[in-house]
Amino acid sequence: MQAGAAFGGPIKKDRTYYYFSYEVTRRHETGFSDIGAASNLSYYQLQNFDTSTIAGGAVPLPFGTIQVTPSRRHS
């Protein structure tokens, strides 16, 4: 949705004026994506990564299992 308004006019004739304008753009998005769906794991080469195993579990992160892209080495 896009909307806007503008108005203005003279304060003193031929000397001083005022002008105001306002514009807004709103996007309606859910924020969800199916990139990580099980059927897409091989297409996007996503790998499951358990954050509770970092540093041998000594410093567990509260994210659980996340999906990450594999590292790429350029030759």
Side-chain angles (χ1 to χ4, degrees):
M1 175 191 90
Q2 291 181 327
F7 63 91
I11 294 176
K12 281 189 162 185
K13 187 177 180 181
D14 297 329
R15 297 283 181 191
T16 308
Y17 299 88
Y18 71 94
Y19 184 79
F20 174 79
S21 103
Y22 175 77
E23 294 182 14
V24 64
T25 300
R26 294 186 184 152
R27 297 176 63 176
H28 301 282
E29 297 180 10
T30 62
F32 294 101
S33 172
D34 65 350
I35 289 176
S39 63
N40 292 329
L41 284 178
S42 62
Y43 179 78
Y44 293 104
Q45 299 178 350
L46 296 176
Q47 298 175 348
N48 289 328
F49 180 75
D50 185 7
T51 61
S52 65
T53 61
I54 293 178
V59 186
L61 297 176
F63 307 118
T65 301
I66 60 174
Q67 295 170 340
V68 296
T69 54
S71 64
R72 305 233 185 257
R73 294 183 185 229
H74 300 285
S75 52

